[in-house]
Amino acid sequence: MKILIIGGTGTISSAVSRLLAESGHDLWLLYRGWRSEDMPSGIHHTAAGESQTRAMNDFKF
């Protein structure tokens, strides 16, 4: 299943993201750019904070 999480890098949402990725889901994260080093491999992710409007325009889900 293709799943989009807005956020996904906080304490609870990172655990949810990890479980979904390990379960084989096609996981996409749109986040503010914090803690990207903690993301499991195989996740599509784009940092898109308030100052990154171009990244949000380029994000294709």
Side-chain angles (χ1 to χ4, degrees), residues 4-57:
L4 169 64
I5 295 179
I6 299 173
T9 60
T11 302
I12 294 171
S13 58
S14 63
V16 171
S17 298
R18 185 166 280 105
L19 286 172
L20 290 169
E22 290 171 356
S23 297
H25 294 285
D26 186 13
L27 187 59
W28 295 68
L29 299 181
L30 184 62
Y31 67 108
R32 288 180 285 184
W34 303 339
R35 298 176 57 171
S36 62
E37 68 279 351
D38 295 337
M39 287 185 208
S41 62
I43 293 179
H44 309 277
H45 56 90
T46 298
E50 294 172 358
S51 63
Q52 298 160 317
T53 55
R54 182 177 188 103
M56 294 198 48
N57 290 335

